[in-house]
Amino acid sequence: MRASCLINSHNYVRYVGQAVRSALEQTIPFHEIIVVDDGSTDGSLEALRREFAGQGTVEILGKRQAGQLSCFHHGCPLITGDVVFFLDADDIYDPDLVDRCGAIYRQRPDVNFLSVGFREIGNVRNVKRRMKPTRDRGLSALASVFNRSWIGNPTSCLSMKTDLLRKILPYPHEDDWVTRADDVLVFGASLAGGHKYHLDMPLVNYRIHDQNHHARKRFDAAQKLAHALKLNRLMAHYIDRMGYDVPSLGYLLPREFRTIEKPTLRELVSYAKMSSRARVPLHVRLEQYLLMAIHYAQQVRTPKTDPDAVIQPVGSAEPASDNAFVPPGIAKPTKTEANCPGGKRPQRRAA
């Protein structure tokens, strides 16, 4: 798997060098690192070119200031890897990020969008955050259409297969997403049929500082409305782009719900409400409630996924033991197959 890294930066001369170095110091190297400077006026671009001029895998690009989404647009056509990782210039990767994520992509070929956990650095508050468990998040196009469900994490915690990104970008209303462009990635991936997985390991250092555009910011009613209108336009664009017939989508809600591993009670209630919101007939709704309740009950009985046991990283010197965790949907090899490199490979079954 060839992994590309796309870094966006604007006036982060204090941080961007550290971000690039964290991408260079991966135990499994990136195939390429593309840094897009968004018209910085603090010397960022010059500093980057001085420090990384001799790095063959690093490409530094400068352009006029137009915002975060414009950086994605500028760098996307240059990506040649199979998977692209996104990194904000003020954040830092853990050295094992590519190794851990690459293992998921290899073992789960149906997954084409991956989010990971993060730890806060900088101006950290002692506030306990609700963790997202490691699990297959499945498909979420209908959850986006009917509930505006945001299935992801901040930009630096996201990666996706390049062919999925090509379905999402370019997005025509670039000026809408000068900041918070991870909304385009997250909602765009859901509406384009992305199969999402979340790995609850803190593989990103998410920096909290006084220049953050979104983290810990308070927004007034006018700002919230402006964002909602931009989001409405984004939804309309991708619904049209994918050719969805919205009135008929409501009938597919149980199918989408059954793609979610270990759905929460809150998600079950949410999908039940979506069924009502989609205005499907009452008798169909009752049948949908039953189908979704059955899936929920079945999944509750399955053990939770341990994030520390998720697939042996490729960079590890020790081979995976016979008891190593294998994600749902992957057939575990027998001892004969595991000890015989030329033997028949286990058959994968759909998740």
Side-chain angles (χ1 to χ4, degrees):
M1 185 192 76
R2 295 178 304 169
S4 300
C5 179
L6 179 56
I7 302 175
N8 69 94
S9 177
H10 173 70
N11 283 348
Y12 274 165
V13 69
R14 290 185 295 171
Y15 310 125
V16 65
Q18 193 174 3
V20 177
R21 286 191 292 274
S22 76
L24 283 168
E25 292 166 359
Q26 293 295 300
T27 55
I28 300 293
F30 276 111
H31 168 67
E32 62 192 359
I33 300 169
I34 301 170
V35 186
V36 181
D37 182 87
D38 188 40
S40 293
T41 57
D42 64 349
S44 299
L45 184 58
E46 294 76 14
L48 286 168
R49 286 174 172 164
R50 280 196 305 271
E51 182 172 358
F52 302 105
Q55 295 288 344
T57 58
V58 179
E59 184 171 2
I60 311 294
L61 306 173
K63 66 174 194 64
R64 67 175 183 83
Q65 183 181 355
Q68 189 180 25
L69 182 57
S70 74
C71 291
F72 297 164
H73 282 158
H74 202 74
C76 182
L78 305 176
I79 293 169
T80 61
D82 306 301
V83 176
V84 56
F85 291 74
F86 299 89
L87 179 60
D88 285 338
D90 54 342
D91 297 332
I92 306 168
Y93 281 153
D94 184 272
D96 290 331
L97 175 86
V98 176
D99 198 355
R100 293 285 186 180
C101 294
I104 297 290
Y105 281 118
R106 280 184 297 272
Q107 296 295 324
R108 291 295 303 267
D110 54 328
V111 170
N112 55 8
F113 182 102
L114 180 63
S115 58
V116 300
F118 64 91
R119 67 177 66 85
E120 292 185 351
I121 61 173
N123 300 330
V124 179
R125 297 182 303 178
N126 293 322
V127 177
K128 189 175 181 179
R129 292 184 297 106
R130 188 177 67 181
M131 304 303 291
K132 300 176 181 179
T134 293
R135 60 175 174 146
D136 187 341
R137 300 303 302 270
L139 305 178
S140 50
L142 307 185
S144 296
V145 172
F146 295 117
N147 201 52
R148 298 295 192 266
S149 297
W150 198 87
I151 313 296
N153 248 5
T155 304
S156 299
C157 301
L158 303 179
S159 64
M160 69 178 76
K161 289 185 178 176
T162 307
D163 57 356
L164 177 61
L165 182 63
R166 305 283 190 219
K167 295 178 182 179
I168 300 170
L169 300 182
Y171 175 72
H173 305 292
E174 186 177 88
D175 292 345
D176 283 355
W177 304 101
V178 172
T179 61
R180 299 181 68 171
D182 50 357
D183 280 3
V184 179
L185 301 178
V186 170
F187 282 115
S190 289
L191 290 163
H195 189 142
K196 298 187 174 184
Y197 194 100
H198 179 70
L199 179 60
D200 185 35
M201 299 185 74
L203 298 174
V204 172
N205 292 305
Y206 182 73
R207 194 186 303 273
I208 305 297
H209 56 93
D210 55 6
Q211 288 182 274
N212 287 128
H213 294 293
H214 180 64
R216 298 184 185 169
K217 299 292 185 182
R218 293 183 178 274
F219 299 96
D220 59 31
Q223 290 171 317
K224 290 179 180 178
L225 175 59
H227 178 260
L229 291 173
K230 294 172 185 177
L231 196 56
N232 182 273
R233 179 156 53 188
L234 182 147
M235 291 289 176
H237 168 78
Y238 286 113
I239 288 171
D240 180 68
R241 189 165 176 167
M242 301 302 156
Y244 294 142
D245 175 36
V246 174
S248 66
L249 290 180
Y251 292 86
L252 305 177
L253 284 165
R255 297 188 183 187
E256 181 171 285
F257 185 73
R258 289 200 294 266
T259 69
I260 304 173
E261 179 189 1
K262 293 194 71 65
T264 63
L265 179 59
R266 183 176 181 178
E267 287 170 330
L268 174 62
V269 172
S270 176
Y271 270 81
K273 289 181 178 179
M274 282 187 252
S275 182
S276 175
R277 198 174 296 132
R279 298 182 180 179
V280 297
L282 178 60
H283 70 281
V284 176
R285 244 183 289 162
L286 294 174
E287 182 180 357
Q288 290 183 337
Y289 297 161
L290 178 60
L291 291 171
M292 292 188 290
I294 290 172
H295 175 68
Y296 172 77
Q298 291 173 339
Q299 289 290 304
V300 163
R301 294 194 292 269
T302 61
K304 289 184 178 180
T305 301
D306 179 2
D308 291 324
V310 171
I311 313 176
Q312 184 86 3
V314 172
S316 173
E318 294 296 327
S321 70
D322 288 338
N323 295 322
F325 172 79
V326 179
I330 299 298
K332 191 171 183 177
T334 64
K335 288 186 178 180
T336 301
E337 291 167 340
N339 295 327
C340 181
K344 184 178 179 181
R345 300 175 70 87
Q347 294 296 311
R348 292 174 174 148
R349 57 184 176 84

